[in-house]
């Protein structure tokens, strides 16, 4: 799933409307991709923070990874 989510995340980075829809999707794979895309942007936002509460472990774990990635980018 990670490979597919990463591929989708690359497309979501370029389309804010699709990114917002993916963040609120009922499909966990879409939410994971949205979290990865959020991490790729390098900017934490409110929706990404709300995604920490994802009911699926994969969704919340992907969000944590994205936020850690953002923190590393902003720290350097």
């Amino acid at each position: 799933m990670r490979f597919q989510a990463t591929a989708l995340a690359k497309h979501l980075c370029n389309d804010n409307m699709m990114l917002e829809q993916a963040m609120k999707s009922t499909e966990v794979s879409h939410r994971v991709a949205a979290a990865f895309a959020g991490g790729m942007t390098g900017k934490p936002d409110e929706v990404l923070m709300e995604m920490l509460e994802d009911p699926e472990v994969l969704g919340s774990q992907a969000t944590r990874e994205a936020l850690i990635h953002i923190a590393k980018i902003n720290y350097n």
Side-chain angles (χ1 to χ4, degrees), residues 6-23:
T6 303
L8 178 57
K10 290 177 183 177
H11 295 290
L12 292 175
C13 284
N14 300 321
D15 190 336
N16 286 336
M17 192 163 89
M18 285 185 65
L19 177 59
E20 289 178 23
Q21 290 175 350
M23 286 179 164

Side-chain angles (χ1 to χ4, degrees), residues 61-75:
Q61 181 179 358
T63 304
R64 281 192 301 277
E65 288 180 22
L67 290 170
I68 290 168
H69 179 72
I70 291 169
K72 288 179 181 179
I73 289 172
N74 291 329
Y75 182 74

Side-chain angles (χ1 to χ4, degrees), residues 34-51:
F36 288 168
M40 289 177 186
T41 65
K43 301 176 191 171
D45 64 8
E46 290 179 27
V47 178
L48 195 56
M49 297 301 231
E50 290 174 13
M51 289 179 68

Side-chain angles (χ1 to χ4, degrees), residues 1 4 8 10 12 17 24-25 28 31 35 37 40 43 45 47 50 53-54 56-57 60 68:
M1 181 201 283
Q4 292 171 338
L8 178 57
K10 290 177 183 177
L12 292 175
M17 192 163 89
K24 298 174 184 175
S25 176
V28 69
R31 295 192 308 273
M40 289 177 186
K43 301 176 191 171
D45 64 8
V47 178
E50 290 174 13
E53 303 289 327
D54 195 297
E56 296 285 335
V57 173
S60 59
I68 290 168

